[in-house]
Amino acid sequence: MTIEELLLHWENRLGCSLSLEPIHELFRQSPRLSFPNHRTLHNHDYCRFIKGRDRNHSCAVNKHRTLRLARHGRPFGGCCPYGVWEWVQPILFHGELAAVLYLGTYAKGDHFRWRQMSRHYTGASLPPFSPEKVAALQAAGRFFAQFLTYELQLAEEAFLADAKQHVKQRYCGIVKNLIALRYRENLHLQDVAEACQVTPNYLSALLKSVTGKTFKELLTEQRLVEAEACLKYRNLSIAEIAAQCGFQDSNYFSVVFRKYFGASPSEYRLSWGMREPRGASVPKEEGGE
């Protein structure tokens, strides 16, 4: 159930209007905490009538006062300057005010400004205030406080998880860029970890969790991709290609290439209609790095 659906449910149940003033930034960041902008305003016809008469000055001043009081964390009830009574429920998150819920919008018939303004007002009537309403509003306020606190917790967890994943992706991007630039060199995990300003162990675990591969596997794949292109389009010996692509041993290169592509470098080259350069020796597929 969305916040908007829940507000509508309680409005119908209590026979009143509800509005929510978001304060915490998660209300702007999290889809699960989103709700229509009109829900932040007092939208009853009488409230709009009052706002139209004094250009929203009285309502703005009253809201500022209630927000200041709500920072103490205790719910309270009271009248606006024009006789509209509401129950004000602070929503706290990590000890700070995260939102304020206004429940009620009842007409306080004995309020002198209400008696004065109601003579000029011809719109839909406000429900009358009664002490019996207070207990129901208090219960609804407690429910919303619990519900929104729980939703804020879930939104924060999702936000932190997204931020953490973004950091992981950023580190992976740095690693892949460095490999693409320096695959010909004798590149080590320590070198890349220093560039990322993290420990090698942290970077190794991060790469494995995000890509499913170790640093050495990522580096070897880049070298093999470059070697494949050389075999297709460059008239170089196998040993020269191995050296240019960062393999210090041409025999090891042949073993790794066969494992990755299912054919030796020479066989792969022939499958593309290329021949070995005259005088080039074919390395044995044995040995290691």
Side-chain angles (χ1 to χ4, degrees), residues 208-237:
K208 189 68 176 177
S209 68
V210 175
T211 69
K213 299 171 183 177
T214 65
F215 168 75
K216 187 175 181 180
E217 288 170 339
L218 291 171
L219 177 59
T220 300
E221 281 189 3
Q222 181 70 42
R223 288 170 170 170
L224 288 171
V225 168
E226 299 296 332
E228 180 192 21
C230 289
L231 288 167
K232 289 179 181 179
Y233 307 117
R234 299 190 65 186
N235 193 29
L236 299 173
S237 69

Side-chain angles (χ1 to χ4, degrees), residues 101-144:
L101 180 68
Y102 297 89
L103 308 96
T105 315
Y106 293 112
K108 200 73 170 1
D110 58 352
H111 193 282
F112 78 98
R113 295 292 291 275
W114 164 258
R115 291 199 304 270
Q116 182 185 29
M117 298 306 298
S118 61
R119 291 198 297 267
H120 306 284
Y121 172 65
T122 58
S125 60
L126 286 167
F129 169 81
S130 68
E132 292 75 24
K133 297 284 187 181
V134 175
L137 294 175
Q138 290 173 336
R142 289 191 296 270
F143 168 80
F144 266 99

Side-chain angles (χ1 to χ4, degrees), residues 226-289:
E226 299 296 332
E228 180 192 21
C230 289
L231 288 167
K232 289 179 181 179
Y233 307 117
R234 299 190 65 186
N235 193 29
L236 299 173
S237 69
I238 303 299
E240 287 173 326
I241 290 173
Q244 285 203 9
C245 294
F247 292 97
Q248 298 180 10
D249 184 285
S250 59
N251 290 326
Y252 174 73
F253 163 62
S254 295
V255 172
V256 174
F257 191 92
R258 176 181 286 278
K259 186 181 295 185
Y260 193 84
F261 289 101
S264 70
S266 298
E267 292 167 345
Y268 190 86
R269 168 173 268 170
L270 287 172
S271 71
W272 277 83
M274 298 286 289
R275 295 189 177 184
E276 291 295 318
R278 189 170 295 179
S281 59
V282 179
K284 299 177 181 178
E285 295 186 11
E286 59 184 12
E289 190 175 41

Side-chain angles (χ1 to χ4, degrees), residues 145-160:
Q146 293 175 349
F147 171 78
L148 289 174
T149 300
Y150 178 67
E151 287 294 310
L152 283 162
Q153 289 172 347
L154 293 178
E156 183 181 59
E157 290 170 6
F159 178 79
L160 292 174

